[in-house]
Amino acid sequence: MRAAVQHRYGPPSVLHVAEIERPLPGRGDVLVKVAAASVHPGDYFVMTGKPYVLRLVFGLRRPRHGIPGRDLAGVVAAVGRDVTGVRLGEKVFGWSSAGTLAEYACVPADHLVPVPPSLSVLEAAAVPTSALTALQALRDVASVRPAQTVLVTGASGGVGSFAVQIAKAFGAEVTGVCSTRNVHLVRSLGADHVIDYTRTDFTGTEKRYDVILDNVEAQPLAAVRRALTPTGTLIPNSGHGGRWLGPLGRIVKARVLSGFTRQRLRPFTSVEKYQDLLTLADLLATGQVTPVIDRSYPLDEAADALRYVGAGHTRGKVVVTL
Ligand SMILES: NC(=O)c1ccc[n+]([C@@H]2O[C@H](COP(=O)([O-])OP(=O)(O)OC[C@H]3O[C@@H](n4cnc5c(N)ncnc54)[C@H](OP(=O)(O)O)[C@@H]3O)[C@@H](O)[C@H]2O)c1
């Protein structure tokens, strides 16, 4: 099968398309013929091996799996002996830790759910990691309730475009922060208010929010906290930071500060849960959430897809088609 592979960490130019062995599903696995796979900043960090702390998980000297990508959508091509309830030919979406920028991927059966009929496989591929992060941040970390005020920075990006819609589905009053060119997009996602960050610094206004999901961290923690109500929740959710520890420094700072204030400062890491994928499938099926696709690239241009994601100006999601 054809796959994007990398034998060392580095910039997108380390990726090339090669012919490799098709994986064989284990007893609990589903073999998916991948139709589309989305890429996001996390895939970029893993490809480059920076921050270096990531290498403890993904391989010290070189990437362990060598195929980038985690999210996918496609068609069930084979199932392992122990798998039940999954039909051959069924359209599914989910994630695989063994790389998804490949014609086939082996995925544990509980990492996949059916694609809702209203969705294309391209749209479904855009969903897993970014939407899961938005869902868990707003529902589990911030416990967003109807009529609460929620501010989302990076509202035009992968996580932000889902977060605006999910916060609206929870009944919140949502403010999205984005650049001028994305104001219309963020409003179309359902945001009640849109702040153009090139004109207004949300930390410098009188307005206070119950929940802030900060996907960008363009301002220091102290400034963002000023825009939070006295008992509000701030989720610092950027993967950026120094080349050794990435966001770890800020995470530790937020955790320590949290002990000295009534404000809840809650950095978190999203966790891949089957039930949450089902919840997302429901939100998609009922039209409460619709993925925004910025660009799609063929597999031969996977390096360009990751280069684009790495530049940090994505509008919605970037998808690689197989
Ligand atoms: N906690 C977790 O488990 C978890 C999981 C997934 C992702 N993340 C992290 O979440 C962050 C966001 O990911 P993503 O996929 O949404 O990134 P993305 O798709 O690259 O989106 C970033 C968006 O932010 C906008 N932006 C840039 N500067 C801004 C500013 N000052 N104010 C408001 N918006 C600004 C960009 O558009 P313009 O430049 O055009 O304005 C772009 O649309 C990343 O750092 C990622 O590592 C965390």
Side-chain angles (χ1 to χ4, degrees), residues 40-42 45 129-130 133 153-160 177-179 181-182 197 215-216 218 237-240 268-270 309 312-317:
H40 64 102
F45 301 141
T129 300
S130 299
T133 303
T153 71
S156 52
V159 175
V177 183
C178 62
S179 58
R181 73 185 181 115
N182 290 323
Y197 70 80
N215 294 307
V216 182
N237 186 44
S238 159
H240 301 283
F268 90 113
T269 304
S270 58
V309 165
H313 303 296
T314 307
R315 304 178 81 214
K317 293 292 301 174

Short mmCIF file of all heavy atoms in Angstrom, two decimals, residues 40-42 45 129-130 133 153-160 177-179 181-182 197 215-216 218 237-240 268-270 309 312-317, ligand 1:
data_model
loop_
_atom_site.label_atom_id
_atom_site.label_comp_id
_atom_site.label_asym_id
_atom_site.label_seq_id
_atom_site.Cartn_x
_atom_site.Cartn_y
_atom_site.Cartn_z
N HIS A 40 -3.36 17.88 12.22
CA HIS A 40 -3.53 19.02 13.12
C HIS A 40 -2.18 19.34 13.76
O HIS A 40 -1.19 18.61 13.53
CB HIS A 40 -4.63 18.73 14.15
CG HIS A 40 -4.30 17.61 15.08
ND1 HIS A 40 -3.87 17.81 16.36
CD2 HIS A 40 -4.33 16.27 14.90
CE1 HIS A 40 -3.65 16.64 16.92
NE2 HIS A 40 -3.93 15.70 16.06
N PRO A 41 -2.11 20.41 14.57
CA PRO A 41 -0.79 20.82 15.10
C PRO A 41 -0.06 19.70 15.83
O PRO A 41 1.17 19.60 15.74
CB PRO A 41 -1.14 21.97 16.05
CG PRO A 41 -2.38 22.57 15.48
CD PRO A 41 -3.15 21.41 14.92
N GLY A 42 -0.79 18.82 16.53
CA GLY A 42 -0.13 17.72 17.24
C GLY A 42 0.65 16.83 16.27
O GLY A 42 1.76 16.38 16.58
N PHE A 45 3.86 18.57 15.47
CA PHE A 45 4.87 18.47 16.54
C PHE A 45 5.52 17.08 16.54
O PHE A 45 6.74 16.97 16.70
CB PHE A 45 4.23 18.73 17.92
CG PHE A 45 3.59 20.08 18.07
CD1 PHE A 45 2.40 20.24 18.76
CD2 PHE A 45 4.17 21.21 17.50
CE1 PHE A 45 1.79 21.47 18.88
CE2 PHE A 45 3.57 22.46 17.62
CZ PHE A 45 2.38 22.59 18.32
N THR A 129 -9.85 14.22 16.64
CA THR A 129 -9.05 14.82 17.71
C THR A 129 -9.52 16.23 18.08
O THR A 129 -9.67 16.56 19.26
CB THR A 129 -7.56 14.86 17.31
OG1 THR A 129 -7.14 13.50 17.10
CG2 THR A 129 -6.71 15.48 18.40
N SER A 130 -9.77 17.07 17.07
CA SER A 130 -10.10 18.46 17.37
C SER A 130 -11.46 18.58 18.06
O SER A 130 -11.61 19.32 19.05
CB SER A 130 -10.12 19.30 16.08
OG SER A 130 -8.85 19.27 15.48
N THR A 133 -11.33 17.23 21.60
CA THR A 133 -10.67 18.18 22.51
C THR A 133 -11.66 19.27 22.92
O THR A 133 -11.77 19.62 24.10
CB THR A 133 -9.44 18.80 21.81
OG1 THR A 133 -8.57 17.74 21.41
CG2 THR A 133 -8.70 19.76 22.72
N THR A 153 -10.71 31.43 22.03
CA THR A 153 -9.69 32.05 21.15
C THR A 153 -9.30 31.03 20.09
O THR A 153 -9.49 29.83 20.27
CB THR A 153 -8.44 32.52 21.92
OG1 THR A 153 -7.71 31.37 22.34
CG2 THR A 153 -8.79 33.38 23.11
N GLY A 154 -8.76 31.51 18.98
CA GLY A 154 -8.48 30.59 17.87
C GLY A 154 -9.79 29.98 17.38
O GLY A 154 -9.82 28.84 16.94
N ALA A 155 -10.85 30.78 17.41
CA ALA A 155 -12.19 30.27 17.08
C ALA A 155 -12.30 29.81 15.63
O ALA A 155 -13.20 29.06 15.29
CB ALA A 155 -13.24 31.34 17.37
N SER A 156 -11.37 30.24 14.80
CA SER A 156 -11.39 29.85 13.38
C SER A 156 -10.60 28.58 13.13
O SER A 156 -10.60 28.06 12.01
CB SER A 156 -10.80 30.99 12.54
OG SER A 156 -9.53 31.37 13.09
N GLY A 157 -9.90 28.06 14.14
CA GLY A 157 -9.01 26.92 13.93
C GLY A 157 -9.71 25.58 14.10
O GLY A 157 -10.93 25.51 14.24
N GLY A 158 -8.92 24.52 14.10
CA GLY A 158 -9.47 23.16 14.19
C GLY A 158 -10.27 22.97 15.46
O GLY A 158 -11.46 22.62 15.42
N VAL A 159 -9.66 23.19 16.61
CA VAL A 159 -10.36 23.01 17.89
C VAL A 159 -11.43 24.10 18.05
O VAL A 159 -12.58 23.82 18.42
CB VAL A 159 -9.37 23.04 19.08
CG1 VAL A 159 -10.13 22.97 20.40
CG2 VAL A 159 -8.36 21.90 18.98
N GLY A 160 -11.06 25.33 17.75
CA GLY A 160 -11.95 26.47 17.98
C GLY A 160 -13.24 26.39 17.18
O GLY A 160 -14.32 26.70 17.70
N VAL A 177 -12.88 34.59 19.20
CA VAL A 177 -11.81 35.55 18.89
C VAL A 177 -11.06 35.04 17.66
O VAL A 177 -10.62 33.89 17.63
CB VAL A 177 -10.83 35.69 20.08
CG1 VAL A 177 -9.77 36.74 19.76
CG2 VAL A 177 -11.57 36.03 21.37
N CYS A 178 -10.95 35.91 16.65
CA CYS A 178 -10.29 35.49 15.40
C CYS A 178 -9.79 36.72 14.65
O CYS A 178 -9.99 37.84 15.11
CB CYS A 178 -11.29 34.72 14.52
SG CYS A 178 -12.70 35.73 14.04
N SER A 179 -9.13 36.49 13.52
CA SER A 179 -8.63 37.61 12.72
C SER A 179 -9.73 38.14 11.80
O SER A 179 -10.77 37.48 11.61
CB SER A 179 -7.42 37.17 11.90
OG SER A 179 -7.78 36.07 11.08
N ARG A 181 -10.16 38.28 8.61
CA ARG A 181 -10.62 37.45 7.48
C ARG A 181 -11.54 36.32 7.94
O ARG A 181 -12.25 35.74 7.14
CB ARG A 181 -9.42 36.90 6.71
CG ARG A 181 -8.69 35.79 7.43
CD ARG A 181 -7.44 35.32 6.73
NE ARG A 181 -6.84 34.25 7.52
CZ ARG A 181 -6.73 32.99 7.11
NH1 ARG A 181 -7.14 32.65 5.92
NH2 ARG A 181 -6.20 32.08 7.90
N ASN A 182 -11.53 36.00 9.25
CA ASN A 182 -12.34 34.87 9.73
C ASN A 182 -13.60 35.28 10.50
O ASN A 182 -14.32 34.42 11.01
CB ASN A 182 -11.47 33.97 10.63
CG ASN A 182 -10.42 33.23 9.81
OD1 ASN A 182 -10.69 32.82 8.69
ND2 ASN A 182 -9.22 33.10 10.36
N TYR A 197 -9.17 40.04 16.73
CA TYR A 197 -8.01 40.31 17.60
C TYR A 197 -7.04 41.33 17.01
O TYR A 197 -6.19 41.86 17.72
CB TYR A 197 -7.27 39.02 17.98
CG TYR A 197 -6.52 38.31 16.87
CD1 TYR A 197 -5.26 38.73 16.44
CD2 TYR A 197 -7.04 37.18 16.26
CE1 TYR A 197 -4.57 38.07 15.44
CE2 TYR A 197 -6.35 36.50 15.27
CZ TYR A 197 -5.12 36.95 14.86
OH TYR A 197 -4.44 36.30 13.86
N ASN A 215 -7.09 28.65 22.92
CA ASN A 215 -6.39 27.76 22.00
C ASN A 215 -5.12 28.38 21.42
O ASN A 215 -4.41 27.72 20.68
CB ASN A 215 -7.33 27.41 20.83
CG ASN A 215 -8.50 26.58 21.29
OD1 ASN A 215 -8.31 25.55 21.92
ND2 ASN A 215 -9.72 27.02 20.99
N VAL A 216 -4.87 29.64 21.73
CA VAL A 216 -3.77 30.34 21.08
C VAL A 216 -2.70 30.80 22.08
O VAL A 216 -1.51 30.68 21.83
CB VAL A 216 -4.30 31.58 20.30
CG1 VAL A 216 -3.16 32.28 19.58
CG2 VAL A 216 -5.38 31.17 19.31
N ALA A 218 -2.02 33.91 23.03
CA ALA A 218 -1.31 35.06 22.51
C ALA A 218 -1.00 36.06 23.62
O ALA A 218 -0.16 36.94 23.46
CB ALA A 218 -2.14 35.73 21.41
N ASN A 237 -4.98 25.99 26.35
CA ASN A 237 -4.99 24.79 25.50
C ASN A 237 -4.07 24.92 24.30
O ASN A 237 -4.39 24.47 23.21
CB ASN A 237 -6.43 24.54 25.01
CG ASN A 237 -6.54 23.24 24.24
OD1 ASN A 237 -5.99 22.23 24.66
ND2 ASN A 237 -7.23 23.27 23.12
N SER A 238 -2.93 25.53 24.49
CA SER A 238 -2.03 25.62 23.34
C SER A 238 -0.93 24.59 23.48
O SER A 238 -0.45 24.31 24.57
CB SER A 238 -1.43 27.01 23.25
OG SER A 238 -0.26 26.96 22.49
N GLY A 239 -0.51 24.03 22.35
CA GLY A 239 0.58 23.06 22.37
C GLY A 239 1.93 23.72 22.17
O GLY A 239 2.94 23.04 22.02
N HIS A 240 1.95 25.05 22.11
CA HIS A 240 3.22 25.73 21.83
C HIS A 240 4.04 25.91 23.11
O HIS A 240 3.63 25.52 24.18
CB HIS A 240 2.94 27.07 21.16
CG HIS A 240 2.17 26.91 19.90
ND1 HIS A 240 2.74 26.49 18.72
CD2 HIS A 240 0.85 27.06 19.64
CE1 HIS A 240 1.81 26.40 17.79
NE2 HIS A 240 0.64 26.74 18.32
N PHE A 268 -5.36 20.73 30.22
CA PHE A 268 -5.76 19.32 30.17
C PHE A 268 -5.26 18.69 28.88
O PHE A 268 -4.86 19.38 27.94
CB PHE A 268 -7.29 19.20 30.29
CG PHE A 268 -8.00 19.24 28.96
CD1 PHE A 268 -8.67 18.13 28.48
CD2 PHE A 268 -7.96 20.38 28.17
CE1 PHE A 268 -9.31 18.16 27.25
CE2 PHE A 268 -8.59 20.42 26.94
CZ PHE A 268 -9.27 19.30 26.48
N THR A 269 -5.30 17.38 28.85
CA THR A 269 -4.96 16.64 27.62
C THR A 269 -6.18 15.82 27.25
O THR A 269 -6.75 15.12 28.09
CB THR A 269 -3.77 15.68 27.88
OG1 THR A 269 -2.70 16.46 28.38
CG2 THR A 269 -3.34 14.99 26.60
N SER A 270 -6.60 15.92 26.00
CA SER A 270 -7.78 15.17 25.59
C SER A 270 -7.48 13.67 25.59
O SER A 270 -6.35 13.26 25.33
CB SER A 270 -8.27 15.62 24.22
OG SER A 270 -7.25 15.47 23.27
N VAL A 309 -0.42 23.31 8.08
CA VAL A 309 -0.88 23.22 9.47
C VAL A 309 0.16 23.86 10.41
O VAL A 309 -0.19 24.59 11.35
CB VAL A 309 -1.13 21.74 9.86
CG1 VAL A 309 -1.24 21.58 11.36
CG2 VAL A 309 -2.41 21.25 9.20
N GLY A 312 0.10 27.58 11.26
CA GLY A 312 -0.79 28.04 12.33
C GLY A 312 -1.93 28.95 11.92
O GLY A 312 -2.53 29.61 12.77
N HIS A 313 -2.26 29.00 10.63
CA HIS A 313 -3.35 29.90 10.19
C HIS A 313 -4.52 29.14 9.58
O HIS A 313 -5.27 29.67 8.75
CB HIS A 313 -2.81 30.92 9.19
CG HIS A 313 -1.68 31.72 9.74
ND1 HIS A 313 -1.83 32.58 10.81
CD2 HIS A 313 -0.37 31.77 9.39
CE1 HIS A 313 -0.65 33.12 11.10
NE2 HIS A 313 0.24 32.65 10.26
N THR A 314 -4.68 27.89 10.00
CA THR A 314 -5.74 27.06 9.44
C THR A 314 -7.12 27.64 9.72
O THR A 314 -7.37 28.18 10.79
CB THR A 314 -5.66 25.65 10.10
OG1 THR A 314 -4.33 25.19 9.94
CG2 THR A 314 -6.60 24.68 9.46
N ARG A 315 -8.03 27.52 8.74
CA ARG A 315 -9.45 27.89 8.95
C ARG A 315 -10.22 26.59 9.00
O ARG A 315 -10.51 26.01 7.96
CB ARG A 315 -9.96 28.72 7.79
CG ARG A 315 -9.17 29.97 7.51
CD ARG A 315 -9.73 30.70 6.31
NE ARG A 315 -10.89 31.49 6.70
CZ ARG A 315 -11.94 31.70 5.92
NH1 ARG A 315 -12.02 31.12 4.74
NH2 ARG A 315 -12.93 32.46 6.34
N GLY A 316 -10.51 26.10 10.18
CA GLY A 316 -11.14 24.78 10.30
C GLY A 316 -10.08 23.71 10.21
O GLY A 316 -9.05 23.80 10.84
N LYS A 317 -10.33 22.71 9.34
CA LYS A 317 -9.46 21.55 9.32
C LYS A 317 -8.79 21.31 7.97
O LYS A 317 -9.31 21.69 6.92
CB LYS A 317 -10.30 20.31 9.65
CG LYS A 317 -10.84 20.29 11.06
CD LYS A 317 -9.76 20.11 12.11
CE LYS A 317 -8.99 18.82 11.91
NZ LYS A 317 -7.85 18.73 12.85
N1 LIG B 1 -5.17 19.74 25.14
C1 LIG B 1 -5.17 18.86 24.15
O1 LIG B 1 -5.25 17.65 24.35
C2 LIG B 1 -5.08 19.39 22.73
C3 LIG B 1 -5.58 18.62 21.67
C4 LIG B 1 -5.54 19.13 20.38
C5 LIG B 1 -4.96 20.38 20.16
N2 LIG B 1 -4.44 21.08 21.21
C6 LIG B 1 -3.81 22.39 20.98
O2 LIG B 1 -4.83 23.32 20.70
C7 LIG B 1 -4.26 24.41 19.97
C8 LIG B 1 -5.20 24.78 18.85
O3 LIG B 1 -5.22 23.72 17.90
P1 LIG B 1 -5.95 23.90 16.51
O4 LIG B 1 -5.94 22.57 15.85
O5 LIG B 1 -7.23 24.57 16.71
O6 LIG B 1 -4.95 24.91 15.76
P2 LIG B 1 -5.13 25.56 14.33
O7 LIG B 1 -6.08 24.74 13.53
O8 LIG B 1 -3.77 25.83 13.82
O9 LIG B 1 -5.89 26.94 14.61
C9 LIG B 1 -5.31 28.04 15.18
C10 LIG B 1 -6.22 29.22 14.80
O10 LIG B 1 -5.92 30.34 15.63
C11 LIG B 1 -6.00 31.52 14.84
N3 LIG B 1 -5.20 32.54 15.53
C12 LIG B 1 -3.88 32.82 15.41
N4 LIG B 1 -3.53 33.81 16.26
C13 LIG B 1 -4.65 34.14 16.95
C14 LIG B 1 -4.94 35.09 17.98
N5 LIG B 1 -4.01 35.91 18.48
N6 LIG B 1 -6.20 35.15 18.48
C15 LIG B 1 -7.18 34.33 17.99
N7 LIG B 1 -6.97 33.43 17.00
C16 LIG B 1 -5.72 33.33 16.48
C17 LIG B 1 -5.51 31.09 13.48
O11 LIG B 1 -5.99 31.88 12.40
P3 LIG B 1 -5.30 33.28 11.96
O12 LIG B 1 -3.82 33.14 12.14
O13 LIG B 1 -5.71 33.47 10.56
O14 LIG B 1 -5.90 34.28 12.89
C18 LIG B 1 -6.09 29.67 13.36
O15 LIG B 1 -7.38 29.69 12.76
C19 LIG B 1 -2.89 23.93 19.47
O16 LIG B 1 -1.85 24.57 20.17
C20 LIG B 1 -2.91 22.43 19.76
O17 LIG B 1 -1.63 21.91 20.01
C21 LIG B 1 -4.51 20.62 22.49
#
